[in-house]
Amino acid sequence: MYLLLKIIFDYIFSLILLIILIPLFLFISIILIIEFGRNIFFFQERQGYKGKIFNIIKFKTMNDATDQAGNLKSDKERITKIGKLLRKYSIDELPTLFNILLGQMSFVGPRPVLAEYDKFYTQDQRKRFLVKPGITGWAQVNGRNKISWEEKFNLDIWYIRNRGFLLDLKIIFMTIMKIFRNKDVDFDESVVDIKFQGSDEDN
């Protein structure tokens, strides 16, 4: 029953939000066109339900500046002032509603991480692929970028073992509160470039 309610909720609520937020989408799009040109969306391969790869879509927050060797500069160097503002209030995540409509994501679940991390997971950490990834999750309302990869994955596994409709509603409520209080939702320059390279026990 819970899974059916979750699917219905995800589809209907994401569709309603997309319709309601059309003016905001247009406004942000115009600003980003001025900032970046016509390329205003960011696409990236992420790993989702049952390990399936999909392209997540967000508003673009970083330019394409490269170093002398032609390699992209660090995230910290490329993020723009507008990009920081979008991330501060999680506005860059709005296009991810399309991923929910397509059935690739849910409102609540483990955050979808880079597909390249697949080779580093422990057997227990792979349990995060037993559910659809989410825009927000238990790890996001309990530290987000302030905690280690291992702590995030442990929180993800806790969510999977305890998931339910009431817990999902609690996580959504906590996420909204954190955004309005501007807590744990900012662009953390100290950790943004840190990639997952396996748990300490595997290194």
Side-chain angles (χ1 to χ4, degrees):
M1 188 65 178
Y2 159 66
L3 293 178
L4 179 60
L5 285 174
K6 188 177 180 72
I7 291 172
I8 294 173
F9 176 85
D10 283 342
Y11 184 82
I12 294 177
F13 198 53
S14 60
L15 184 60
I16 291 173
L17 280 178
L18 282 170
I19 294 173
I20 293 175
L21 296 173
I22 285 176
L24 180 59
F25 265 86
L26 292 175
F27 176 70
I28 296 173
S29 296
I30 292 171
I31 293 177
L32 294 182
I33 287 173
I34 295 173
E35 177 82 4
F36 299 118
R38 289 193 295 179
N39 184 19
I40 64 171
F41 293 109
F42 169 76
F43 297 90
Q44 190 176 56
E45 286 191 343
R46 300 291 178 94
Q47 198 167 10
Y49 181 54
K50 294 185 178 179
K52 185 177 180 180
I53 306 300
F54 71 97
N55 280 309
I56 195 170
I57 176 173
K58 299 183 182 183
F59 279 124
K60 191 172 183 179
T61 58
M62 293 184 284
N63 59 42
D64 300 315
T66 58
D67 56 27
Q68 293 181 342
N71 300 313
L72 283 174
K73 293 184 177 180
S74 68
D75 292 353
K76 180 179 178 181
E77 293 175 293
R78 293 189 296 119
I79 190 165
T80 65
K81 291 182 179 180
I82 293 174
K84 283 186 178 181
L85 184 63
L86 294 182
R87 290 200 180 189
K88 185 175 184 179
Y89 296 102
S90 298
I91 298 174
D92 63 311
E93 302 271 0
L94 291 182
T96 312
L97 291 170
F98 288 107
N99 290 116
I100 296 179
L101 270 182
L102 292 171
Q104 299 165 328
M105 290 182 62
S106 175
F107 277 100
V108 180
R111 283 290 295 172
V113 294
L114 296 175
E116 66 189 61
Y117 295 166
D118 182 70
K119 60 185 177 182
F120 296 121
Y121 298 120
T122 65
Q123 199 63 33
D124 198 46
Q125 289 169 348
R126 286 190 179 280
K127 292 178 181 177
R128 68 195 318 275
F129 300 124
L130 294 175
V131 300
K132 289 182 182 179
I135 289 181
T136 187
W138 191 236
Q140 280 59 54
V141 296
N142 284 283
R144 197 178 181 178
N145 288 337
K146 309 295 183 182
I147 57 179
S148 69
W149 280 108
E150 285 75 16
E151 289 173 308
K152 289 179 186 178
F153 292 151
N154 288 338
L155 289 169
D156 288 339
I157 301 306
W158 183 91
Y159 167 78
I160 291 169
R161 290 170 176 164
N162 297 275
R163 66 188 186 277
F165 198 66
L166 290 179
L167 179 58
D168 285 356
L169 290 179
K170 177 181 179 179
I171 291 172
I172 291 173
F173 177 76
M174 290 175 68
T175 300
I176 294 172
M177 290 298 98
K178 283 179 175 290
I179 290 174
F180 278 107
R181 293 172 181 171
N182 190 25
K183 184 179 180 182
D184 294 337
V185 296
D186 58 312
F187 180 73
D188 191 339
E189 296 177 338
S190 65
V191 298
V192 71
D193 285 323
I194 299 177
K195 292 189 174 184
F196 179 58
Q197 295 180 325
S199 300
D200 291 339
E201 60 190 63
D202 298 327
N203 294 329

